[in-house]
Amino acid sequence: RPPEAAETAARGVHSPGRAAIAQRHLRLDRWWLPQVMTAAGLLLFIGYSTWRAFFGLHTSYAAPYVSPFYSPCLAANCPTMKGGADWALFGSWWQLSPALIVLIFPLGFRLTCYYYRKAYYRSFWSSPPACAVAEPHAKYTGETRLPLILQNVHRYFFYFAIPVAGILTWDAILGFRDAQGRWGHMGLGTLVLLVNIVLIWGYTASCHSCRHIVGGRLRHFSKHPVRYRMWTWVSKLNARHMQLAWASLFSVGLTDLYVYLLASGAFSDPRFF
Ligand code: FES
């Protein structure tokens, strides 16, 4: 055996100090099922959101509702949103979909999220495939070098996620107007936008970086009662971070789908008052 092959074989679970177990793992359950479901869910969302981000501009707004993929609108080629977050910072030279400018922030936030990292490392890279299942790779460097060391920018994406969630909150409030801009309307779309923004705030507030920002680096909780109280709230949400990650991912996609169906004339928004 060439020396490099021997060296490779002696790494990881095959390194000299480890028990010599012939089987790849000893799990008897269907450990691969969550990984398959995770990959399917993520691919579904990636496929749908890519299609909408590139080709959804003209069905991104159905007064008074705007798709979360297209808000805030930072280019000049957006449909008119009276009172909405419509700032043509990029001017008319931007001819591509305006969603591409905005989606960088929520995409970066989710891509570097601690939960999604676990999810896609397992389901796409098998690194590791599951608990107590040895990974097939000979080498493991974790997130200690490029490009994965860049995952550390997550906390900065968290800072961007706050204004984005604030803007989507404003969009949900604007859902209480009718198509002419008069207040006092509520339709099914208003409810859809409200549920979506509650889930987005739940996901954002349950972020591990948020928990650290709120309650980290303190020597004595007793000297910081307000931060301690906030930390206990964030910690409770943090325990549900995975569920909130999935719920908010699907709610963003379904909210966009709802606006798309309204804008393309598939049906009219049922009105409560
Ligand atoms: Fe998931 Fe921050 S850890 S959003």
Side-chain angles (χ1 to χ4, degrees):
R1 186 190 280 187
E4 324 80 67
E7 198 186 308
T8 302
R11 285 201 190 115
V13 289
H14 303 295
S15 48
R18 304 289 293 268
I21 298 170
Q23 294 95 322
R24 189 165 153 241
H25 62 81
L26 300 173
R27 287 185 66 163
L28 300 174
D29 60 336
R30 289 188 291 172
W31 56 267
W32 43 268
L33 190 59
Q35 275 59 287
V36 171
M37 288 169 63
T38 300
L42 291 177
L43 286 174
L44 181 70
F45 183 81
I46 291 168
Y48 175 78
S49 57
T50 305
W51 168 62
R52 287 291 293 155
F54 277 92
F55 306 110
L57 175 61
H58 298 295
T59 46
S60 63
Y61 182 62
Y65 312 125
V66 64
S67 157
F69 289 175
Y70 283 83
S71 184
C73 184
L74 302 180
N77 55 349
C78 301
T80 308
M81 288 174 52
K82 290 195 199 84
D86 196 358
W87 308 300
L89 299 182
F90 275 62
S92 52
W93 62 268
W94 181 268
Q95 289 299 310
L96 298 173
S97 165
L100 300 180
I101 309 170
V102 184
L103 284 180
I104 292 167
F105 300 105
L107 183 72
F109 187 45
R110 290 196 184 242
L111 210 60
T112 57
C113 161
Y114 288 64
Y115 165 67
Y116 284 112
R117 270 144 77 174
K118 172 190 144 189
Y120 66 76
Y121 287 166
R122 287 185 176 197
S123 52
F124 292 123
W125 270 279
S126 293
S127 180
C131 285
V133 179
E135 60 174 84
H137 312 284
K139 231 163 116 185
Y140 178 76
T141 52
E143 294 174 336
T144 56
R145 40 176 93 161
L146 279 171
L148 292 185
I149 199 167
L150 295 177
Q151 302 279 29
N152 283 309
V153 298
H154 182 63
R155 71 196 71 178
Y156 302 105
F157 277 116
F158 170 76
Y159 296 135
F160 282 112
I162 303 284
V164 171
I167 286 163
L168 296 188
T169 307
W170 179 238
D171 290 341
I173 293 170
L174 292 181
F176 284 96
R177 304 180 310 171
D178 62 15
Q180 285 71 43
R182 292 175 300 234
W183 291 96
H185 156 102
M186 184 171 179
L188 182 57
T190 318
L191 206 58
V192 169
L193 262 63
L194 283 176
V195 170
N196 181 46
I197 195 58
V198 167
L199 290 171
I200 285 181
W201 275 117
Y203 171 64
T204 308
S206 66
C207 168
H208 291 69
S209 292
C210 174
R211 185 165 176 261
H212 184 256
I213 289 162
V214 167
R217 290 180 168 269
L218 295 180
R219 276 187 186 279
H220 308 287
F221 272 139
S222 56
K223 291 197 179 140
H224 303 272
V226 176
R227 287 185 67 183
Y228 175 65
R229 177 58 57 91
M230 287 167 64
W231 179 80
T232 55
W233 292 339
V234 172
S235 296
K236 281 193 188 125
L237 280 176
N238 183 254
R240 301 260 174 276
H241 192 55
M242 178 182 85
Q243 291 87 339
L244 287 163
W246 280 107
S248 59
L249 191 77
F250 277 99
S251 82
V252 166
L254 289 173
T255 304
D256 173 80
L257 180 65
Y258 190 81
V259 173
Y260 163 70
L261 291 174
L262 287 184
S264 55
F267 63 91
S268 311
D269 185 43
R271 196 169 166 167
F272 303 139
F273 59 81

